[in-house]
Amino acid sequence: SQTIHQWPATLVQPVGSPLSLECTVEGTSNPNLYWYRQAAGRGLQLLFYSVGIGQISSEVPQNLSASRPQDRQFILSSKKLLLSDSGFYLCAWRPSGGASLYNEQFFGPGTRLTVL
Amino acid sequence: GNSVTQMEGPVTLSEEAFLTINCTYTATGYPSLFWYVQYPGEGLQLLLKATKADDKGSNKGFEATYRKETTSFHLEKGSVQVSDSAVYFCALRGAQKLVFGQGTRLTINP
């Protein structure tokens, strides 16, 4: 069966510090991968998605970046965090191509980031 | 482009009340539709789904019917429980990604 992991689960960082959040998927190949942010009490904002290694699509211009160094690894980074980067970061995956009739997404447990 | 509009929250009900959370969408063609649920401090879980017009998705007592005529996918439950307290997201399938509504926070009081 497939599983998705995110770490760390929680993170407190000072303004201006770097960030690296990691997401890995097990039990599938060539998944589509997604990073979302959820600010407190608000909906989901899609940040990045990837349909393959090295292929990143950015949905919202900002001081965050994403990379996909391996097929089942998706990393969210920042060189200098802002206060507004605080939130709940969710990684998700979806089978690519015709592997899933319904094309639903499966979400990880999330990382809660607080920037002070 | 594709979009999803959900009923504004928060919604507060008493246990055993009837629940409806409205969801309407704008899309090209007939995309698959989903309801996700997010319990406090957790990621999203798929609650139910429907892939074509008149399909009814159901799970854990929740139901939603894909209505092409009204471009809607309203979530309903006949008798809610305290454990149903969560944030509910309606979504539709786009080309490479899901398009989510803004979420509706539901609180059930005993």
Side-chain angles (χ1 to χ4, degrees), chain A residues 72-112:
Chain A
R72 289 168 291 176
Q73 184 184 33
F74 204 25
I75 297 173
L76 183 69
S77 303
S78 174
K79 293 182 179 178
K80 286 187 178 182
L81 283 169
L82 306 173
L83 285 174
S84 57
D85 291 325
S86 293
F88 193 48
Y89 287 81
L90 289 161
C91 182
W93 76 274
R94 177 170 74 86
S96 60
S100 171
L101 176 64
Y102 298 107
N103 286 297
E104 67 199 64
Q105 286 182 357
F106 301 90
F107 284 80
T111 294
R112 185 161 302 283

Side-chain angles (χ1 to χ4, degrees), chain A residues 31-79:
Chain A
N32 290 354
L33 296 170
Y34 305 84
W35 276 114
Y36 291 86
R37 177 169 60 202
Q38 187 177 27
R42 301 184 66 177
L44 293 169
Q45 180 184 37
L46 179 62
L47 302 175
F48 302 94
Y49 69 93
S50 171
V51 299
I53 295 175
Q55 300 179 59
I56 308 295
S57 296
S58 175
E59 291 291 298
V60 183
Q62 53 202 314
N63 70 318
L64 298 172
S65 62
S67 61
R68 185 169 176 174
Q70 300 179 44
D71 181 43
R72 289 168 291 176
Q73 184 184 33
F74 204 25
I75 297 173
L76 183 69
S77 303
S78 174
K79 293 182 179 178

